[in-house]
């Protein structure tokens, strides 16, 4: 576990984000291997069948990806404040919410798989394989939801290395399984989905074992489960809107996928290859965002206002620089990499890939800023503004699918993402500027000696007993009442 409320903000964020980056890269590597195995062993049609449900998977699993990040925010805030009882209580509450999310995804994804794919205008020649893939993948949604929540919870405590180790192991296992089940056992596209589910299940079991042995802050007791049921309001207030934000964004992505599906199986295969590359490209940018939500939440819990402001500003600068380098690199290398999936003889697929990154490559800095500021705003506890931003992203993608794709073909597909980023950044940027003003006012109050320091009962008492906290000379009458015990409780201790 790592406390992100002390030390150089830039160094801490970089150190915390690096394992997140490496873990996400390994996840994308197995996605590469998955696409390459399916494309090489089963052909371009099967690659399209695996890629076609991608936006639908994003729509449903977005509830888990965004929801898990939201459920971890109260945990990070409690850890930053030194309240371990609240950490366990919110972890239990998050578990309850995650069970509900998993049940919803599994039911919708398995019962209505073919109907949903038909509504997406999936080409008839790949509909059967797409249905098999989607049903198998979402039938094991519980394992993926559990993995997302455990990783988000561990990161909330400032530990990004443990998730890295397990994500690397999961990615390696997935690569082995997809090769064995698709290439060896002949399971077809079902083997690709089963490999993902099995690797996630094994990783969840291993993580629970490590938590039981080495992470006392997450070892829940009977009373924690009881208190967790009574503390569902805060995780639900933040977690569900963040989950819906991801799903709302997925609606826009889904509209683009529907437009692509109408362009034929070859175009679907090209879009699948493009998304694999695009997902890998945005991994470093996303890692900064994931690190930012924990950093901001912990420092908010500790009332370290200046650290929040400085950390967000510096991360935006670093993220923009990384985005420029990545974007321009892909402009030249993307077609070659896409050839690994489908073979160098698929000229139309390679041409579409080149078009996509010529449009998107120079604009990744917008996405980097959006990731960082959105997570910073969420770390500050705001849930409504990111939801509005997600609606802006969705509207931009829907308009692109209806207007640009129809008139400009694959160029319109390429333009959809940058327009969505701008649609999301406008409300997020406005919200962050407002938060920045509040942070500066709180800094001024802190410098004037009017700020407050949050301490938990256990930490307050231990500081008093050890003599490190001396209340002599501090009038506690106003803060705690005329008959209060002079030892501070969960209230906030006024600084003299």
């Amino acid at each position: 576990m790592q406390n992100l409320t002390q030390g150089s903000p830039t160094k801490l964020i970089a150190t915390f984000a690096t394992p997140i980056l490496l873990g996400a890269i390994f996840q994308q590597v197995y996605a590469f291997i998955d696409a390459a195995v399916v494309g090489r062993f089963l052909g371009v049609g099967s690659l399209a069948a695996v890629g076609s449900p991608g936006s639908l998977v994003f729509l449903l699993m977005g509830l888990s990806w965004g929801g898990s990040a939201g459920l971890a925010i109260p945990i990070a805030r409690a850890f930053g404040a030194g309240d371990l009882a609240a950490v366990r209580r919110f972890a239990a509450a998050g578990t309850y919410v995650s069970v509900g999310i998993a049940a919803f995804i599994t039911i919708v994804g398995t019962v209505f798989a073919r109907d949903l794919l038909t509504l997406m205008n999936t080409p008839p020649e790949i509909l059967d394989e797409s249905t098999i893939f989607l049903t198998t993948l979402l039938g094991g949604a519980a394992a993926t939801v559990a993995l997302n929540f455990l990783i988000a919870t561990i990161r909330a405590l400032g530990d990004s290395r443990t998730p890295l180790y397990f994500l690397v192991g999961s990615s390696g296992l997935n690569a082995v399984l997809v090769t064995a089940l698709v290439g060896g056992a002949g399971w077809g596209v079902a083997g690709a989905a089963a490999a993902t589910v099995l690797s996630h299940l094994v990783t969840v079991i291993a993580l629970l074992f490590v938590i039981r042995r080495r992470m006392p802050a997450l070892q829940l007791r009977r009373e924690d489960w009881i208190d967790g049921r009574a503390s569902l309001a805060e995780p639900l207030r933040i977690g569900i809107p963040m989950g819906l934000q991801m799903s709302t964004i997925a609606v826009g992505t889904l509209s683009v996928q529907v437009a692509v599906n109408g362009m034929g199986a070859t175009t679907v295969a090209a879009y699948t290859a493009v998304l694999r590359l695009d997902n890998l490209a945005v991994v470093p940018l996303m890692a900064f965002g994931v690190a930012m939500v924990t950093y901001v939440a912990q420092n908010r819990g500790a009332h370290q206002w200046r650290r929040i402001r400085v950390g967000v500003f510096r991360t935006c600068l670093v993220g923009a620089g990384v985005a420029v380098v990545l974007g321009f690199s892909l402009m030249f290398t993307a077609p070659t990499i896409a050839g690994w999936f489908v073979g160098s003889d698929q000229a139309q697929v390679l041409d579409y890939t080149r078009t996509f990154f010529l449009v998107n490559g120079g604009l990744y800095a917008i996405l980097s800023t959006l990731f960082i500021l959105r997570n910073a705003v969420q770390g500050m506890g705001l849930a409504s503004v990111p939801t509005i931003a997600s609606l802006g992203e969705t509207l931009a993608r829907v308009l692109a699918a209806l207007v640009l794709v129809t008139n400009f073909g694959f160029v319109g597909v390429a333009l959809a993402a940058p327009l969505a980023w701008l649609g999301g950044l406008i409300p997020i940027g406005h919200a962050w500027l407002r938060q920045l003003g509040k942070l500066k006012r709180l800094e001024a109050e802190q410098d004037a000696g009017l700020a407050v320091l949050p301490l938990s009962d256990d930490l307050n008492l231990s500081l008093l007993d050890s003599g490190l906290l001396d209340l002599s000379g501090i009038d506690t009458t106003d803060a705690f009442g005329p008959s209060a015990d002079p030892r501070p409780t969960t209230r906030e201790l006024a600084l003299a």
Side-chain angles (χ1 to χ4, degrees):
M1 297 185 293
Q2 183 179 10
N3 190 330
L4 302 178
T5 64
Q6 298 176 355
S8 167
T10 306
K11 183 178 179 180
L12 279 174
I13 293 169
T15 303
F16 186 69
T18 298
I20 298 174
L21 166 62
L22 294 175
I25 287 176
F26 274 96
Q27 286 184 297
Q28 294 305 318
V29 166
Y30 88 66
F32 265 61
I33 294 174
D34 180 84
V37 169
V38 171
R40 292 288 186 169
F41 280 95
L42 303 177
V44 173
S46 294
L47 177 61
V50 169
S52 179
S55 298
L56 188 54
V57 172
F58 183 17
L59 175 65
L60 293 174
M61 292 305 302
L63 290 171
S64 172
W65 298 329
S68 294
L71 294 173
I73 289 175
I75 298 173
R77 192 166 64 238
F79 184 76
D83 192 344
L84 296 184
V87 168
R88 295 191 302 272
R89 183 171 70 249
F90 286 129
T95 303
Y96 288 128
V97 178
S98 295
V99 169
I101 291 174
F104 175 79
I105 294 172
T106 302
I107 293 171
V108 173
T110 55
V111 175
F112 302 104
R114 191 177 187 88
D115 296 330
L116 292 171
L117 288 169
T118 301
L119 287 174
M120 286 176 58
N121 198 28
T122 302
E125 61 268 31
I126 64 173
L127 181 59
D128 289 339
E129 281 191 307
S130 293
T131 302
I132 292 171
F133 177 81
L134 184 63
T135 302
T136 306
L137 184 67
L138 296 185
T144 303
V145 172
L147 180 60
N148 291 338
F149 176 66
L150 288 175
I151 286 176
T153 299
I154 294 171
R155 284 174 178 164
L157 304 186
D159 181 359
S160 59
R161 291 187 178 182
T162 298
L164 166 63
Y165 302 146
F166 282 90
L167 287 174
V168 169
S170 178
S171 300
L173 179 59
N174 193 308
V176 171
L177 288 173
V178 74
T179 303
L181 297 178
V182 175
W187 283 22
V189 295
T196 299
V197 172
L198 289 173
S199 63
H200 287 177
L201 179 60
V202 171
T203 306
V204 166
I205 294 172
L207 269 174
L208 290 174
F209 177 78
V210 170
I211 289 173
R212 182 175 179 84
R213 294 291 299 271
R214 297 172 51 188
M215 299 182 181
L218 297 178
Q219 293 172 7
L220 306 185
R221 309 160 188 171
R222 179 184 177 86
E223 57 268 25
D224 295 325
W225 294 106
I226 297 172
D227 293 341
R229 287 198 297 270
S231 303
L232 284 170
E234 181 70 2
L236 286 171
R237 185 185 71 82
I238 301 176
I240 296 302
M242 286 183 66
L244 292 175
Q245 289 160 29
M246 295 295 290
S247 293
T248 301
I249 294 171
V251 171
T253 306
L254 190 63
S255 66
V256 176
Q257 182 72 63
V258 170
V260 170
N261 288 348
M263 299 169 72
T266 300
T267 306
V268 174
Y271 192 55
T272 301
V274 160
L275 290 182
R276 292 290 193 274
L277 284 169
D278 185 58
N279 289 339
L280 180 61
V282 304
V283 159
L285 316 181
M286 188 169 53
F288 286 125
V290 173
M292 188 53 56
V293 71
T294 301
Y295 173 84
V296 171
Q298 281 198 16
N299 281 280
R300 180 181 174 230
H303 288 194
Q304 297 285 348
W305 314 119
R306 181 177 288 107
R307 290 177 58 80
I308 295 174
R309 179 175 58 82
V310 171
V312 172
F313 175 72
R314 292 179 181 176
T315 306
C316 282
L317 292 180
V318 174
V322 172
V324 170
V325 173
L326 283 172
F328 281 96
S329 298
L330 280 170
M331 286 182 184
F332 301 101
T333 61
T336 301
I337 300 173
W340 300 347
F341 301 144
V342 298
S344 58
D345 58 331
Q346 296 291 329
Q348 189 175 15
V349 172
L350 303 186
D351 184 58
Y352 282 156
T353 303
R354 183 180 296 105
T355 299
F356 184 91
F357 287 103
L358 283 175
V359 173
N360 281 259
L363 301 175
Y364 277 131
I366 300 174
L367 179 60
S368 172
T369 305
L370 173 60
F371 276 147
I372 293 167
L373 294 186
R374 180 166 59 198
N375 281 278
V377 168
Q378 289 169 338
M380 290 295 292
L382 299 182
S384 59
V385 174
T387 301
I388 295 172
S390 67
L391 292 173
E393 291 187 56
T394 299
L395 179 60
R397 279 196 168 93
V398 170
L399 289 175
L402 294 175
V403 179
L404 297 181
V405 176
T406 302
N407 292 284
F408 301 102
F410 205 80
V411 173
V413 175
L415 286 169
L419 289 175
W421 303 338
L422 284 172
L425 183 58
I426 292 171
I428 287 292
H430 176 71
W432 175 247
L433 289 176
R434 290 175 60 87
Q435 289 297 304
L436 198 58
K438 293 179 181 179
L439 288 172
K440 290 180 178 179
R441 288 197 298 272
L442 289 168
E443 282 182 48
E445 293 176 3
Q446 204 166 52
D447 291 340
L450 301 175
V452 293
L453 175 67
L455 297 175
S456 67
D457 291 346
D458 294 339
L459 183 56
N460 285 331
L461 295 178
S462 63
L463 289 174
L464 279 171
D465 294 339
S466 65
L468 295 176
L469 179 62
D470 183 9
L471 294 183
S472 60
I474 299 178
D475 183 5
T476 61
T477 301
D478 292 336
F480 306 112
S483 61
D485 189 319
R487 301 183 303 179
T489 62
T490 54
R491 300 183 183 216
E492 295 175 333
L493 174 64
L495 292 178

